[in-house]
Amino acid sequence: MKRTLAAFATAILIWTQPAHAQSLLRDAETESLFHDMSAPLVKAAGLNPRDVQFALVNDDSINAFVIGGQTVYIHSGLIQAADNANQVQGVIAHELGHIADGHIVNAGAGTRPAMAIYLLSMVLGIAAAAAGAGEAGMGVMAAGQQAALGKFLAFTRTQESTADASAVKYLNAAGITGKGMLSFFKTLQQQEYRYGLNNIDPFMQTHPLSGERIQTMTADITASPAYNKPPDPALQERFLRVKAKLIGYVNPPQRTLIAYPESDKSIYAHYARAYAYHKAGYPDKADAEAEALVKAAPHDPYFLEVKGQILLEAGKPADALAPLREATDLSRNNPLIATTFGHALIATENKANLPEAIKVLRSAVARDDENPFAWYQLGTAYEQSGDEARAALATAETASMNGDMRTAAYSARAAMAGIPKNTPDWIRAQDIAMTAQNDMNDNPKKYKRK
């Protein structure tokens, strides 16, 4: 019984939570675009734009999700499949509906009734088996599992329909057309057609079928005063840039070069090819594409960033300093760009650059403290400067972020031993040490030495 119960519980978890194995892609330009294109929708949902975060997941499937808190996860495959920024806004509006309507918090309302059905079928099945009707008992349990799963899926489909309705409301309130939302659902509908609708059981899906969703939303979307409002051309331009650089970064170089051949002299093509050539190991070609971007817009921080990144990763950190320093200044010290700049300063192996690296990286982690790479670089700069205590603090920050509480506690205590007492850095080290030790005390089996 325990095995069967565990199997059903696992099935419920699979339906309710996406996989966590995918990696997150951090990019300053992409995150800025997500923030700006969503801000009116976030406000329309009654949320604060400063509290809602966006994360790009390296996954080629067309999907977006929320799993708690106020973070919207968007798959790279969704960006590649979208034709315009307005389509992505429709997806974001839907996910904001899940957040604002408390769907993740209230997920228990769907799992509890389903689990109750399943447990009842287990009791009846075991009773039948004990009475000598083993085959009938197994049938009862199988039917119970199917009924329980169907009950739960009906609940999730209701949540999805509710999120769709909320999305339409937010789009209307923000004065953003819902044409993109409709057209993107039609893209999903075409996928269903290719798979074959006869092969899809609508009652065993987490979402209503796309055709049903289109039919439900069309009247409200077309009745909106914003329906015929043209999409924001500036957002569309930014979207096409982000899409091109994403394609260059995640796709095989050969595939990128087919989509953006040498004959294409657009900004988007230069962007995509810069990353494609960089990935393929052609630094001169990658640098030429980045140079074309900078020539087109000499003071664009993101073009300067990619130029500096290519030079840095090609083993030319000294040459990368100028574009990365300017990119950091022009982006108002964006923490991701500043981290790359700090990395370049350290990579020059010139100790005269270490004070600037520490200053830049401290600013970066102050604005984005959940960036393990930034903390690692800061620790490296401290170590090379001879400040072992603060190097230990940076190690503690990184370990704590990665869930390695034993290392976090040990490093934090080492930091406390070398940092003046009651200073901000000492207090931070104390906080990490206490939190890590509490976690180890509460979960002794997890940290038992093997």
Side-chain angles (χ1 to χ4, degrees):
M1 177 176 177
K2 288 183 179 179
R3 287 184 180 180
T4 313
L5 181 59
F8 177 71
T10 301
I12 290 292
L13 288 172
I14 289 173
W15 284 110
T16 57
Q17 296 190 28
H20 293 272
Q22 307 100 322
S23 61
L24 296 182
L25 301 175
R26 298 294 309 273
D27 175 67
E29 185 175 15
T30 302
E31 292 179 8
S32 176
L33 172 64
F34 286 159
H35 178 273
D36 292 348
M37 73 194 305
S38 68
L41 296 167
V42 172
K43 292 177 183 176
L47 303 171
N48 190 326
R50 289 179 297 180
D51 297 333
V52 178
Q53 305 298 320
F54 295 88
L56 183 63
V57 182
N58 188 8
D59 190 305
D60 61 5
S61 61
I62 304 175
N63 193 24
F65 59 89
V66 294
I67 54 174
Q70 296 189 28
T71 299
V72 177
Y73 295 85
I74 300 174
H75 282 200
S76 57
L78 187 148
I79 301 299
Q80 294 187 67
D83 295 323
N84 53 63
N86 186 233
Q87 290 181 339
V88 180
Q89 285 178 308
V91 173
I92 289 174
H94 172 90
E95 298 305 328
L96 292 174
H98 284 305
I99 295 173
D101 294 338
H103 287 170
I104 303 301
V105 175
N106 296 324
T111 57
R112 283 192 295 270
M115 190 63 74
I117 292 173
Y118 181 73
L119 291 174
L120 177 60
S121 69
M122 287 293 295
V123 171
L124 295 176
I126 291 173
E135 187 172 335
M138 291 297 294
V140 169
M141 287 188 282
Q145 180 172 340
Q146 186 78 359
L149 188 56
K151 177 78 172 178
F152 177 75
L153 293 177
F155 172 78
T156 66
R157 288 194 298 273
T158 299
Q159 283 196 326
E160 295 301 330
S161 296
T162 302
D164 284 346
S166 294
V168 173
K169 182 174 66 175
Y170 304 154
L171 288 164
N172 293 346
I176 298 173
T177 178
K179 283 183 179 180
M181 191 173 186
L182 285 179
S183 64
F184 198 71
F185 275 127
K186 288 176 182 177
T187 298
L188 297 178
Q189 186 180 37
Q190 290 171 359
Q191 284 196 331
E192 293 172 357
Y193 285 145
R194 284 196 293 270
Y195 181 76
L197 284 176
N198 291 335
N199 297 322
I200 300 176
D201 181 352
F203 298 106
M204 293 305 293
Q205 307 301 312
T206 57
H207 294 59
L209 293 180
S210 298
E212 179 184 337
R213 300 171 79 176
I214 293 169
Q215 185 177 8
T216 302
M217 293 187 298
T218 296
D220 289 334
I221 287 178
T222 55
S224 170
Y227 180 68
N228 289 315
K229 182 179 179 180
D232 186 336
L235 280 181
Q236 178 62 10
E237 172 68 16
R238 292 170 65 186
F239 168 76
L240 292 174
R241 283 174 46 159
V242 163
K243 180 177 178 178
K245 74 189 295 188
L246 176 64
I247 288 173
Y249 185 80
V250 302
N251 287 348
Q254 299 88 340
R255 184 174 162 188
T256 300
L257 296 174
I258 291 173
Y260 297 95
E262 290 278 1
S263 57
D264 188 344
K265 303 300 181 183
S266 67
I267 289 295
Y268 324 118
H270 286 305
Y271 229 162
R273 289 198 299 265
Y275 281 99
Y277 284 134
H278 186 51
K279 283 181 63 177
Y282 295 99
D284 292 340
K285 288 187 174 183
D287 187 55
E289 296 292 351
E291 192 61 46
L293 291 171
V294 174
K295 184 178 179 180
H299 302 295
D300 187 303
Y302 305 119
F303 292 168
L304 290 164
E305 178 196 20
V306 70
K307 178 176 174 61
Q309 180 184 353
I310 288 171
L311 288 169
L312 170 61
E313 295 176 6
K316 300 176 181 179
D319 294 338
L321 294 183
L324 288 174
R325 181 179 282 110
E326 186 176 0
T328 301
D329 292 341
L330 291 171
S331 67
R332 299 180 180 179
N333 295 306
N334 177 278
L336 293 177
I337 297 176
T339 297
T340 305
F341 178 37
H343 180 199
L345 287 164
I346 296 168
T348 62
E349 299 183 352
N350 182 348
K351 288 196 173 184
N353 288 328
L354 291 176
E356 184 179 11
I358 291 172
K359 179 181 177 181
V360 167
L361 290 166
R362 279 191 71 101
S363 175
V365 297
R367 299 179 64 184
D368 181 10
D369 62 355
E370 295 186 2
N371 185 343
F373 185 69
W375 282 111
Y376 174 80
Q377 291 300 321
L378 181 58
T380 300
Y382 277 132
E383 185 177 15
Q384 293 183 8
S385 299
D387 190 342
E388 295 183 3
R390 287 181 174 79
L393 175 56
T395 299
E397 293 277 11
T398 305
S400 177
M401 206 175 307
N402 293 332
D404 182 0
M405 294 305 174
R406 181 177 287 116
T407 299
Y410 175 83
S411 299
R413 293 191 191 102
M416 291 172 65
I419 296 174
K421 193 172 183 179
N422 295 326
T423 61
D425 284 346
W426 186 90
I427 293 171
R428 177 57 186 160
Q430 183 186 54
D431 288 344
I432 295 174
M434 291 176 61
T435 301
Q437 189 61 54
N438 288 340
D439 187 77
M440 289 190 289
N441 292 342
D442 292 341
N443 302 281
K445 292 182 179 180
K446 179 181 176 181
Y447 295 99
K448 185 179 180 181
R449 292 188 181 276
K450 297 179 180 179

